[in-house]
């Protein structure tokens, strides 16, 4: 079944009328979803709000929007929770494999990826599956939606980075990787993105469609989060959080956050404070205050809570009726002219019938062709610089 099941009784303890500006939500190996209400005006003290046996297997992913929290699990289901009414809203049963990644775009759509190789696009009004895409030959390991909502990136166990045209719900380009990547993420502006392979982060610039720099850590990377467009937080299979400058790839700050390996990072802005949230296998969820103008200094610990469970995933639900502003990692801006122009060109090209035009640069012609045509021929009526510019906006990957 693709839509939600009938709504079970209330998940929470505080009832629909309880006032919460934010809620820490964390999933764990023990199949539990934890919720802790946090009120900054009350010294950021986390108050236990609910403990819900969410799945029949360990939780693997969690995502939030203005109203809902969704969780994915090794039990192959996605569970939906209405945070306004504080009830369990239902389950999505489309996937046949562990749910590996979940991401909302605004309040209207959810993207899910799983080990069955599918990416599903969900309408969050009716909770219908609008599109089911066979995205990768292996597992889908990570996905990320461009801030414009027009593009998405995904990586999988088939050693590819794939670009998706969300307007038409189809593949745009494929870039072959040397190894399997397990994390991909856009920056807040959408002008760069990162791809993580084991312990290495490759930073790509959209304007050049090439790697502008690389960051390497000693241990495998478990989570990354853009704090700003140029500052990236990285957590690995150790106790340390490291903040890097994406442009120079220099480590700006590092600090021991936990006693065991860190599983996930989240961030948001509240009352002028940049807040980093971390979850670890040691059972603790911690909130840290980061001063961007003093980024070399160790962030201050705002609060912590011990779930006494082996945490796997983390998110922060923010009440949009308050003045809370989520970190721009998931925000939208109006500076997407270049992407919109490229998408318009892409849309025009999709409609062009098969036509033969000479293209001087054989490599570029091969990389952006819609069909398998001769190396020195191209179906697009574009030459030289035009073709080159278009290719740059779309990562110079092979067309699917």
């Amino acid at each position: 079944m693709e839509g939600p099941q009938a709504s079970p009784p209330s998940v929470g303890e505080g009832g629909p009328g309880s006032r919460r500006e934010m809620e820490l939500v964390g999933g764990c190996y023990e199949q539990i979803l934890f919720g802790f209400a946090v009120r900054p005006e009350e010294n950021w003290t986390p108050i236990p709000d609910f403990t819900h046996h969410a799945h029949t297997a360990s939780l693997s992913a969690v995502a939030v929007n203005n109203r809902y929290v969704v969780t994915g699990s090794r039990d192959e289901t996605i569970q939906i929770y209405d945070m306004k009414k504080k009830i369990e809203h239902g389950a999505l049963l489309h996937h046949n494999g562990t749910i590996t990644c979940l991401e909302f775009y605004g309040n209207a759509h959810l993207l899910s990826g799983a080990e069955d190789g599918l990416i599903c696009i969900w309408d969050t009004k009716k909770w219908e599956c609008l599109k089911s895409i066979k995205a990768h030959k292996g597992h889908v390991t990570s996905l990320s939606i461009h801030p414009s909502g027009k593009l998405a990136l995904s990586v999988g166990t088939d050693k590819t980075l794939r670009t998706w045209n969300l307007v038409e719900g189809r593949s745009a380009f494929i870039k072959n990787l040397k190894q399997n990547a397990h994390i991909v993420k856009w920056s807040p502006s959408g002008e760069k993105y990162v791809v993580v392979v084991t312990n290495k982060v490759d930073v790509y610039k959209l304007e050049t469609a090439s790697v502008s720099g690389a960051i390497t850590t000693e241990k495998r990377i478990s989570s990354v989060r853009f704090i700003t467009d140029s500052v990236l937080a990285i957590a690995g299979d150790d106790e340390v959080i490291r903040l890097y400058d994406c442009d120079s790839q220099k480590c700006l700050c590092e600090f021991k956050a936990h006693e065991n390996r860190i599983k996930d990072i989240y961030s948001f802005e509240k009352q002028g404070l940049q807040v980093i949230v971390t979850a670890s296998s040691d059972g603790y969820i911690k909130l840290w205050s980061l001063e961007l103008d003093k980024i070399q200094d160790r962030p201050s610990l705002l609060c912590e809570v011990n779930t006494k469970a082996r945490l796997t995933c983390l998110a922060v639900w923010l009440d949009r009726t308050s003045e809370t502003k989520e970190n721009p990692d998931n925000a939208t801006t109006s500076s997407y002219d270049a992407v919109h122009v490229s998408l318009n060109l892409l849309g025009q090209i999709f409609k062009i019938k098969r036509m033969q035009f000479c293209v001087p640069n054989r490599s570029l012609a091969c990389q952006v062709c819609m069909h398998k045509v001769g190396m020195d021929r191209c179906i697009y009526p574009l030459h030289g610089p035009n073709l080159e510019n278009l290719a740059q906006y779309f990562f110079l990957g092979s067309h699917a």
Side-chain angles (χ1 to χ4, degrees):
M1 180 176 178
E2 296 178 359
Q5 306 292 322
S7 301
S10 173
V11 176
E13 301 170 358
S18 59
R19 178 178 174 269
R20 295 157 298 149
E21 287 190 1
M22 66 180 71
E23 188 106 12
L24 307 179
V25 288
C28 64
Y29 282 108
E30 291 80 6
Q31 308 169 11
I32 303 272
L33 179 68
F34 296 97
F36 296 91
V38 177
R39 297 183 179 91
E41 66 274 11
E42 297 179 9
N43 297 319
W44 296 85
T45 304
I47 302 169
D49 193 34
F50 64 83
T51 302
H52 178 59
H53 196 158
H55 292 270
T56 59
S58 59
L59 275 72
S60 51
V62 61
V64 297
N65 72 356
N66 190 33
R67 180 164 185 171
Y68 296 104
V69 171
V70 294
T71 57
S73 166
R74 294 183 67 84
D75 66 10
E76 305 180 356
T77 70
I78 300 169
Q79 300 290 334
I80 312 164
Y81 310 91
D82 188 324
M83 295 297 288
K84 299 289 187 180
K85 296 180 179 179
K86 293 194 70 175
I87 61 171
E88 191 174 10
H89 191 70
L92 306 175
L93 310 178
H94 191 83
H95 287 286
N96 292 306
T98 297
I99 309 301
T100 55
C101 43
L102 296 165
E103 186 168 325
F104 279 103
Y105 182 74
N107 294 318
H109 296 96
L110 170 73
L111 266 63
S112 61
E115 289 187 356
D116 57 8
L118 296 181
I119 289 178
C120 293
I121 303 173
W122 301 91
D123 175 355
T124 60
K125 303 300 181 183
K126 298 180 180 179
W127 289 107
E128 295 177 342
C129 184
L130 301 175
K131 185 82 173 179
S132 180
I133 305 167
K134 182 59 179 177
H136 290 269
K137 294 178 182 178
H139 303 167
V140 178
T141 52
S142 180
L143 62 84
S144 185
I145 305 171
H146 189 272
S148 68
K150 309 295 185 184
L151 293 173
L153 297 173
S154 68
V155 290
T157 56
D158 56 0
K159 297 182 181 178
T160 62
L161 165 66
R162 299 183 182 238
T163 307
W164 302 96
N165 177 354
L166 296 182
V167 176
E168 298 190 6
R170 60 170 291 170
S171 174
F173 291 92
I174 302 171
K175 179 178 176 61
N176 293 319
L177 303 173
K178 293 181 179 180
Q179 294 176 275
N180 288 327
H182 62 283
I183 300 174
V184 63
K185 188 171 285 291
W186 286 103
S187 69
S189 70
E191 295 177 359
K192 61 172 70 80
Y193 58 97
V194 294
V195 176
V196 181
V197 177
T198 313
N199 66 331
K200 182 182 178 184
V201 181
D202 283 329
V203 182
Y204 289 78
K205 285 190 176 181
L206 183 62
E207 62 181 0
T208 61
S210 59
V211 177
S212 62
I215 298 167
T216 304
T217 62
E218 291 185 3
K219 296 188 177 181
R220 184 181 188 275
I221 294 168
S222 57
S223 181
V224 298
R225 181 80 178 183
F226 278 98
I227 307 302
T228 68
D229 212 51
S230 59
V231 177
L232 184 70
I234 298 177
D237 284 348
D238 58 13
E239 310 84 11
V240 178
I241 296 288
R242 295 175 177 87
L243 304 179
Y244 283 87
D245 185 314
C246 288
D247 298 322
S248 65
Q249 294 85 53
K250 291 182 178 179
C251 184
L252 304 173
C253 172
E254 66 176 63
F255 63 98
K256 183 178 179 180
H258 291 270
E259 295 301 322
N260 207 328
R261 60 181 181 174
I262 298 165
K263 298 295 290 186
D264 210 351
I265 315 172
Y266 203 85
S267 62
F268 61 92
E269 185 183 331
K270 172 68 177 176
Q271 297 176 347
L273 287 178
Q274 197 71 49
V275 180
I276 299 175
V277 190
T278 58
S280 167
S281 296
D282 63 14
Y284 279 88
I285 299 175
K286 298 185 180 183
L287 275 71
W288 307 85
S289 173
L290 175 67
E291 294 186 52
L292 291 175
D293 57 348
K294 299 178 181 178
I295 199 166
Q296 292 80 9
D297 297 342
R298 174 189 171 92
S300 304
L301 182 64
L302 293 172
C303 67
E304 63 181 29
V305 59
N306 186 5
T307 65
K308 299 181 180 179
R310 295 172 296 164
L311 295 169
T312 57
C313 49
L314 169 73
V316 180
W317 177 80
L318 301 168
D319 186 353
R320 301 300 185 178
T321 59
S322 70
E323 295 180 358
T324 304
K325 178 184 177 183
E326 188 179 354
N327 182 274
D329 197 6
N330 290 326
T332 58
T333 70
S334 59
S335 58
Y336 303 120
D337 291 344
V339 175
H340 288 158
V341 168
S342 299
L343 282 165
N344 289 335
L345 285 171
L346 183 63
Q348 292 170 17
I349 287 171
F350 280 157
K351 298 172 184 176
I352 294 174
K353 295 181 180 179
R354 188 179 182 90
M355 299 171 65
Q356 294 290 321
F357 289 85
C358 291
V359 177
N361 188 322
R362 296 188 177 190
S363 177
L364 279 175
C366 179
Q367 288 172 345
V368 301
C369 275
M370 279 177 59
H371 303 286
K372 302 295 183 181
V373 297
M375 287 289 288
D376 61 340
R377 311 293 289 179
C378 181
I379 64 171
Y380 306 144
L382 300 172
H383 285 251
N386 291 332
L387 178 62
E388 195 169 345
N389 291 339
L390 181 69
Q392 286 177 357
Y393 280 124
F394 287 91
F395 317 106
L396 294 176
S398 301
H399 197 286

